[in-house]
Amino acid sequence: FMFIAVSNLIGIIPYTFTVSSHIIVTASLALLVFFTVLVYIFMFAPILVVVVLSFNASQFGGFPMTGFSLLFTVLLGLPLGILLFLSGRSSSPAQKALYAVLSVVVNVLRSVPFIILLIVLIPLTLLLVGTSLGVPGTIPPLVIGTAPFFARLVENVLRDIDKGVIEACQSMGATTRQIVIHALLPEALPGLLAAGTVTTIALVSYAAMSGVIGGGGLGDLALRFGYQRFQTDVMIVTVAILILLVQIIQFLGDRLVRHFTRK
């Protein structure tokens, strides 16, 4: 209806003014987009305001949950990825055996769906933090589920570095620690930032799943209100917020990758 109305309105312009056809098309499309945006704002803004005002402290727990999980994921996944890379390219039998063991462990943890991993790790979570509910009870499964994923991404990023860089460092007598700190990590920084972006988005998805065990955040809101109470509007707004959050994370990650990429 809006498209027909705007088209008819713009169609009057040639009889009143002398305007080129491409300006008419551009103006009609701009008006169409403007009115469409207004319609969506009036449809979803009231729902969004109600949902945000109904949040309590436990539902905002998803943000520190994701932040702490990302911190521990990087602290564990980055060294594990470097170790996978170094042991995988070594010719030593001991190093190859270490790579085989680590690779199996990483693959096993990555192969378990996160919703099942949440339940399987409840005894370990109780041992570590004393509870399996809320933000503290969600961080260990999040870290265990995403650290192997991030480690494999780090390994693949390091594999893409030109072998000549490593050989040049070795020819100058650099130690393994010096090669990793001063050569591998600076060269792989854009790829590591991209891997971190992908891992952060995966963490957002996993954190939403943690609402099943009372982990708080948007997942808990969507489960208790959107699903169990059949409030479709709450479910739609929750999904919209998650989509917006992922878009922001991806945008910031892409900007960082472009900034640190060597021209």
Side-chain angles (χ1 to χ4, degrees):
F1 173 76
M2 285 190 301
F3 179 76
I4 296 174
V6 172
S7 299
N8 291 333
L9 177 64
I10 300 301
I12 302 174
I13 294 178
Y15 298 98
T16 308
F17 305 100
T18 304
V19 185
S20 60
S21 60
H22 73 276
I23 296 179
I24 297 174
V25 173
T26 304
S28 62
L29 290 177
L31 284 174
L32 179 61
V33 171
F34 175 74
F35 285 117
T36 305
V37 171
L38 282 182
V39 168
Y40 278 103
I41 288 176
F42 282 111
M43 284 175 59
F44 291 108
I47 302 174
L48 181 61
V49 171
V50 171
V51 171
V52 172
L53 291 179
S54 66
F55 275 4
N56 54 41
S58 64
Q59 277 142 3
F60 280 108
F63 296 102
M65 174 173 58
T66 305
F68 284 118
S69 300
L70 180 62
L71 174 63
F72 289 117
T73 296
V74 173
L75 291 178
L76 294 177
L78 183 61
L80 181 58
I82 295 173
L83 185 59
L84 283 169
F85 170 74
L86 295 176
S87 59
R89 65 186 300 272
S90 175
S91 58
S92 170
Q95 294 288 333
K96 288 188 175 297
L98 175 62
Y99 176 80
V101 173
L102 291 177
S103 183
V104 169
V105 172
V106 168
N107 291 336
V108 167
L109 292 176
R110 288 175 59 210
S111 63
V112 180
F114 183 73
I115 192 68
I116 299 176
L117 194 65
L118 277 172
I119 301 171
V120 171
L121 292 178
I122 286 179
L124 180 60
T125 304
L126 289 172
L127 181 64
L128 292 176
V129 297
T131 179
S132 61
L133 302 176
V135 175
T138 308
I139 290 178
L142 282 174
V143 175
I144 294 174
T146 54
F149 174 73
F150 182 64
R152 190 64 81 180
L153 291 178
V154 171
E155 180 192 7
N156 292 333
V157 169
L158 295 177
R159 282 180 177 178
D160 292 335
I161 297 178
D162 188 3
K163 294 181 180 180
V165 175
I166 302 176
E167 293 173 355
C169 294
Q170 290 174 338
S171 65
M172 291 184 290
T175 63
T176 302
R177 186 177 68 88
Q178 291 173 334
I179 293 175
V180 170
I181 296 176
H182 300 290
L184 291 180
L185 293 181
E187 285 290 327
L189 183 58
L192 293 177
L193 290 174
T197 302
V198 174
T199 305
T200 305
I201 293 174
L203 269 174
V204 171
S205 175
Y206 290 168
M209 293 183 203
S210 65
V212 176
I213 63 168
L218 293 174
D220 181 62
L221 179 70
L223 180 66
R224 291 197 293 116
F225 292 92
Y227 178 71
Q228 295 178 353
R229 300 186 184 182
F230 302 101
Q231 296 181 6
T232 308
D233 51 352
V234 176
M235 182 71 74
I236 292 175
V237 173
T238 304
V239 172
I241 294 174
L242 287 172
I243 292 174
L244 179 62
L245 183 60
V246 169
Q247 295 299 322
I248 293 174
I249 294 172
Q250 188 65 57
F251 173 77
L252 295 177
D254 292 340
R255 291 294 299 268
L256 287 174
V257 170
R258 286 197 296 269
H259 177 75
F260 288 100
T261 299
R262 297 182 179 180
K263 305 295 183 180

